[in-house]
Amino acid sequence: MQFFRILIIIFIFSIPLNVFADEAKNWLKTEIDKILYAYQNNDLPSENRFLMIEQTINNNFAGSGIAKFVAGKSWNGASKDTKLEYIKLFKRHLALNIASMMQGYSNQNYELTNTNYDEKNKVSLIDMDIYSDTGSIQVTWRVKKSKDRYFVIDLLVADISLVVTKRSEFNSMLKTVDYNLEKFNEKLIAQNDLSYSKLLN
Amino acid sequence: MDRLKQILGFLVIIFVSFNLYAGAADDVKTSSDDFETSIFEDEIYDPLEGINRAVFGFNNVADKLILEPTAKGYKKLPAPIQSGVGNFLSNLKLPLVALNQLLQGQGKNAAESTGRFLVNSTVGIFGLIDIADDFGLEQKEEDFGQTLATWGIGDGFYIVLPLFGPSNLRDTTGMVMTMMTDPVNLYASREGDSWAIPLRTAANAVDQRSQIIDEVNALRDNSVDYYAAVRSSYYQNRKAAITNTDDDVLTPLPLISIEFE
């Protein structure tokens, strides 16, 4: 009897976690398909394709939060206008990074496999296996719910976090401009232009 | 062999002396108030950054001119050939993988790797076919760098090795230990077929590079500082390998706050 009680309690507590995880998984699948559709649609001009992808990414990533995190200690000393400019530039930078990565996966099949819900941090971790002829690669999406909708807060390829890598990379570059975000924005503009031209060609 | 032992001894001495300083420098913690975050390394101990960047530049050119085009050509081979080459090369690593698993106290994994080696080397035709996977004997990677880390030895400083790429003092030591103890390499040397050793290294490099063409290009094309991005990626990847992180829930990662403007 005791055993059944424990079983029922476990069952009751596990339902909401699974519901959160599955809901997040379904949402993510729809958004990934939107990006892949943009790549697979050959009728779309390259510029429009990127705009479509950028819009999807901006709508679904916690761009401002990630931007702030990545800026690290340079954030506090910057003016409001500089911060807003930086967030705008960072969102484009993020879109270019993800678009560039997803471009490579556009002809491959994928499957959303494991989903875990990190109850402590309220984050869903969704594994995506991307298959090629010779093997597969795993991408893990970290998804958080806020105001009744989901946002991607990070993605990991082969255990490497995009957000942590960006922070380390930005920190290294920010050091060269004495953590001046305004000066860094100029570098970010140049990099975005370069990335954009590479993506389109 | 004596020369190799001397080099190893030298590396261990350097490693031990620098490791004392590296421990403190590696552990820079975030303490900003404007975002929620868990603890993670913000900076990597890189006292040779100037030299490392120069070597990294050289490696990058070598990659663009030689490795990437070769890997792209290799990718055009029929999939069974690529899989066969990949399986064969992975199988050759297994004796040392099993040894390192044993040294890390992973008896079950060591037994599985040994079983994997035996099955694939025989039924799998010299390792060309990964039959063991069908028996539930999964591929797992362990090397001397990971073993040293498990024994409590810190990273040491970051170093970019010519042609071999990103590493640190501990992993470089591990790499030298691998070179010295690899049974396949030792056998080739003894038989007078030392030419096979660099060939095997090159084949491994091409096979591994072919699996991350898109990822490397995405990183290279979109980084404000490609050197720092690779350095961070290397450390994250190694940390996950050392802790054998299969479950990302356990990985301490930043908790980004969601904002609306």
Side-chain angles (χ1 to χ4, degrees), chain A residues 119-161:
Chain A
E119 173 66 21
K120 189 183 155 206
N121 297 314
K122 312 273 182 235
V123 174
S124 296
L125 295 121
I126 304 167
D127 289 339
M128 173 188 182
D129 284 345
I130 301 156
Y131 302 103
S132 69
D133 292 339
T134 51
S136 66
I137 188 157
Q138 193 178 75
V139 175
T140 303
W141 300 78
R142 298 181 79 227
V143 170
K144 205 172 171 182
K145 196 171 190 178
S146 181
K147 293 193 178 176
D148 289 330
R149 54 161 302 194
Y150 291 101
F151 290 90
V152 177
I153 59 166
D154 197 2
L155 62 89
L156 294 98
V157 183
D159 300 309
I160 299 162
S161 150

Side-chain angles (χ1 to χ4, degrees), chain B residues 10 30 34 51 61 78 98 137 143 148 150-151 180 182 210 222:
Chain B
F10 179 65
T30 53
D34 56 16
I51 301 165
V61 172
L137 298 169
D143 54 43
L148 291 172
T150 309
W151 291 353
M180 285 173 64
D182 188 280
S210 74
N222 299 291

Side-chain angles (χ1 to χ4, degrees), chain A residues 101-113:
Chain A
M101 195 186 82
M102 296 295 279
Q103 190 174 33
Y105 302 147
S106 58
N107 296 322
Q108 294 167 4
N109 292 322
Y110 82 91
E111 193 184 351
L112 296 178
T113 50

